[in-house]
Amino acid sequence: MSQRQVLQVFEQYQKSRTQFVQTIAELATRPQNIETLQNAGVMSLLRPLLLDVVPTIQQTAALALGRLANYNDDLAEAVVKGDILPQLVYSLAEQNRFYKKAAAFVLRAVAKHSPALAQAVVDCGALDALVISLEEFDPDVKEAAAWALGYIARHNAHLSQEVVDAGAVPLLVLCIQEPEVALKRIAASALSDIAKHSPELAQTVVDTGAIAHLAQMILNPDAKLKRQVFSALSQISKHSVDLAEMVVEAEIFPAVLACLRDPDEYVRKNVTTLMREITKHTPELSQMIVNTGGVAAVIDYLGDCRGNVRLPGIMMLGYVAAHSENLAMAVIVSKGVPQLAICLSEEPEEHIKAATAWAFGQIGHHTPEHARAVATANVLPKLLALYMDTDSSEDLQVKAKKALKSILQKCNYLPALEPLLYEAPSNILKHVVCQFSKVLPRDSNARRLFVTSGGLKKVQEIKADPGSALQEYINSINSCYPEEIVRYYSPGYSETLLEQVEKYQPV
């Protein structure tokens, strides 16, 4: 065989390998092919190609493995069991930028599925190699490494701490200062994934100066970047008063309120989540948000959206109102109650209804004036219906009941209470009757209306245990009326009168 024929054989062999990895990489993009590829033992065929002498074959083999591992945890597990990870980690330090990007993709694809798989990636020494890759000149390699680090950190505090200990955070903060928008996005997302687990991890992110750099990007035109920026600021703010104050001190308000009108619904949701995480801590932080127009802006936002994106806004209003009478009144004055009532009626999801019921409780429990604002929006019958509905979840029933009781204990607006006399079970009814027993002795007009509306008659029909609080409230109401009026509206009185008619002998 001549030298030329030998070279042709080698060339043919290289073409076959190239065609094989390219075909597998292409097939792995379609979910319907995954099981067939897995059954054919494609993992063991790709592994030796990671060490191929031809760089493009190495890269394409890594890309194919990444796509397979990305599909489900069984395939990711196969990558771990096949001892492929140490090979990839070694190559991250040695190979060209295209291979590094593909190798980081495989590590990310494995780590994303579970804490155990992420730990396997860490155990093979990937963190040091990924952190070194954050210092690469090529932005695509940095992006791939940041993405993998974020996927490792997102699972739990332990893995997040390992990412921090490897020295990733300062380099991720440098990445958000790079000009490439895609790199900024992934780095901000990774910082968010690190900060979310604990105050200590969030503090580590803050100590590297992340807040100031994130704050500079809140008005960036790229929607996906803004999503990650607001997510990271939310994850930092949620842990403590000090961390929330540091975010506020970056002077992001009132500028962020403009993002509540952003075309991207997830930007709007993440801004509202940030406001929720800040307002929940103290009255002072809530007051600052109120002073910048934040409450009115969130109420407008609730009117413009539907579904899960409403949840952080609903909770934010509840947190603001919970702190004090004045802050609750700020929610009322900004027309928050009618908007929350719309949310309660429109939203089918029970967790959103439960959050809305909770928010009403926070608004209405302060004073009679606050309770009246909630009651006049016709919220009380809705809360009662949710509490009594056997199809409601336990959480929704608990929150509806708690909100109802806390509002009722302050409400002296009788027209809103009266419908509950006919519907409420005894454990709610006693609070309703209690309020009548407080108001009727002092208001002659209310006493008259209570008779003409049928309220007094209904009270006489209530069966209360002798000596119970409910019986005492009924007695208190009855003492507001002449005895013959009470007797007239008592059950069985008409039969008594008829008996007297029958017994009566005309003279």
Side-chain angles (χ1 to χ4, degrees):
M1 188 180 283
S2 68
Q3 188 178 358
R4 187 178 172 191
Q5 287 173 315
V6 170
L7 287 172
Q8 281 178 333
V9 169
F10 275 107
E11 197 176 305
Q12 187 64 42
Y13 179 48
Q14 183 175 323
K15 278 182 183 173
S16 298
R17 298 196 317 277
T18 304
Q19 187 179 1
F20 173 74
V21 288
Q22 286 175 344
T23 305
I24 297 299
E26 177 61 30
L27 288 171
T29 60
R30 292 188 283 275
Q32 65 266 30
N33 298 328
I34 299 293
E35 194 176 343
T36 308
L37 290 170
Q38 189 176 3
N39 294 339
V42 77
M43 289 290 192
S44 57
L45 298 173
L46 287 170
R47 188 189 169 201
L49 296 175
L50 291 171
L51 297 173
D52 199 279
V53 292
V54 182
T56 53
I57 293 175
Q58 292 179 359
Q59 292 152 26
T60 314
L63 180 64
L65 278 169
R67 286 174 177 171
L68 290 164
N70 197 47
Y71 185 72
N72 65 31
D73 50 0
D74 286 343
L75 287 161
E77 191 80 48
V79 171
V80 174
K81 287 178 177 169
D83 277 338
I84 293 169
L85 294 181
Q87 220 163 290
L88 291 165
V89 171
Y90 171 77
S91 304
L92 262 176
E94 300 294 325
Q95 297 285 1
N96 66 34
R97 60 196 175 99
F98 300 107
Y99 188 91
K100 286 179 178 179
K101 185 180 173 186
F105 169 55
V106 181
L107 295 173
R108 177 185 110 213
V110 172
K112 84 170 198 178
H113 293 289
S114 70
L117 286 165
Q119 189 65 56
V121 172
V122 171
D123 292 343
C124 72
L127 288 180
D128 290 337
L130 289 168
V131 169
I132 290 167
S133 297
L134 289 177
E135 298 184 88
E136 283 281 328
F137 179 74
D138 186 81
D140 289 342
V141 175
K142 288 182 185 174
E143 183 188 331
W147 213 337
L149 289 166
Y151 272 55
I152 292 166
R154 69 173 45 178
H155 289 293
N156 57 44
H158 171 72
L159 286 163
S160 208
Q161 189 63 55
E162 296 226 37
V163 171
V164 169
D165 293 342
V169 174
L171 294 169
L172 288 168
V173 173
L174 285 174
C175 287
I176 61 174
Q177 299 168 62
E178 295 284 351
E180 292 81 13
V181 172
L183 177 56
K184 286 177 184 283
R185 279 184 211 147
I186 302 304
S189 173
L191 290 170
S192 178
D193 285 329
I194 292 167
K196 72 182 182 182
H197 297 291
S198 71
E200 293 75 23
L201 286 163
Q203 190 66 55
T204 303
V205 172
V206 170
D207 290 344
T208 55
I211 291 175
H213 297 296
L214 290 166
Q216 288 170 7
M217 297 187 287
I218 59 173
L219 297 180
N220 190 289
D222 186 78
K224 288 180 181 175
L225 174 57
K226 282 187 287 191
R227 287 183 197 175
Q228 301 304 337
V229 167
F230 289 123
S231 172
L233 291 172
S234 300
Q235 299 293 6
I236 292 167
S237 301
K238 74 180 184 182
H239 294 292
S240 71
V241 176
D242 288 344
L243 288 166
E245 285 176 347
M246 286 181 182
V247 171
V248 168
E249 284 162 10
E251 297 181 354
I252 58 172
F253 290 96
V256 296
L257 300 183
C259 296
L260 284 171
R261 296 186 294 278
D262 195 277
D264 187 280
E265 73 171 1
Y266 290 102
V267 170
R268 300 197 301 272
K269 181 188 178 186
N270 289 0
V271 173
T272 319
T273 302
L274 171 61
M275 293 167 73
R276 178 191 73 192
E277 300 299 0
I278 291 171
T279 55
K280 75 181 184 184
H281 291 294
T282 65
E284 291 75 21
L285 285 167
S286 284
Q287 189 65 59
M288 184 279 301
I289 300 275
V290 170
N291 293 347
T292 58
V295 165
V298 167
I299 291 165
D300 289 344
Y301 160 78
L302 289 176
D304 295 337
C305 62
R306 297 285 182 280
N308 257 328
V309 291
R310 273 177 163 170
L311 186 60
I314 291 166
M315 293 181 70
M316 179 263 190
L317 295 179
Y319 280 128
V320 171
H323 287 301
S324 71
E325 291 178 19
N326 288 342
L327 286 165
M329 192 50 72
V331 174
I332 292 168
V333 169
S334 300
K335 309 243 180 338
V337 172
Q339 186 55 62
L340 286 170
I342 290 168
C343 294
L344 193 67
S345 298
E346 284 183 349
E347 291 302 329
E349 296 286 339
E350 295 207 332
H351 66 283
I352 301 177
K353 286 183 184 290
T356 312
W358 168 81
F360 276 127
Q362 302 309 311
I363 295 167
H365 80 278
H366 292 286
T367 69
E369 193 179 356
H370 292 81
R372 179 172 182 148
V374 175
T376 51
N378 199 33
V379 167
L380 299 182
K382 292 174 185 172
L383 291 174
L384 180 63
L386 291 171
Y387 167 57
M388 294 179 66
D389 187 347
T390 53
D391 291 333
S392 292
S393 67
E394 185 181 352
D395 181 53
L396 176 53
Q397 287 180 329
V398 167
K399 286 192 168 63
K401 177 186 175 184
K402 196 170 180 182
L404 199 52
K405 282 186 173 182
S406 62
I407 298 164
L408 287 174
Q409 285 165 359
K410 294 291 181 181
C411 186
N412 58 14
Y413 182 61
L414 301 188
L417 294 178
E418 200 160 316
L420 303 188
L421 285 172
Y422 298 88
E423 304 290 337
S426 59
N427 61 332
I428 301 295
L429 190 60
K430 69 180 178 186
H431 298 289
V432 179
V433 178
C434 175
Q435 294 309 108
F436 279 102
S437 73
K438 290 177 186 175
V439 176
L440 293 176
R442 304 193 307 270
D443 189 335
S444 59
N445 192 40
R447 289 198 294 273
R448 176 183 169 80
L449 285 171
F450 194 56
V451 172
T452 56
S453 67
L456 183 63
K457 182 175 185 292
K458 178 60 189 170
V459 166
Q460 306 315 309
E461 293 168 2
I462 295 170
K463 292 178 172 62
D465 295 330
S468 64
L470 179 56
Q471 186 59 60
E472 286 181 25
Y473 301 145
I474 293 170
N475 293 343
S476 179
I477 292 170
N478 288 346
S479 67
C480 298
Y481 296 95
E483 195 177 326
E484 58 269 26
I485 294 290
V486 174
R487 211 164 43 241
Y488 178 77
Y489 286 108
S490 297
Y493 183 67
S494 55
E495 285 84 357
T496 306
L497 285 179
L498 285 171
E499 281 178 26
Q500 289 178 6
V501 168
E502 287 172 12
K503 290 176 185 175
Y504 182 70
Q505 296 296 327
V507 176

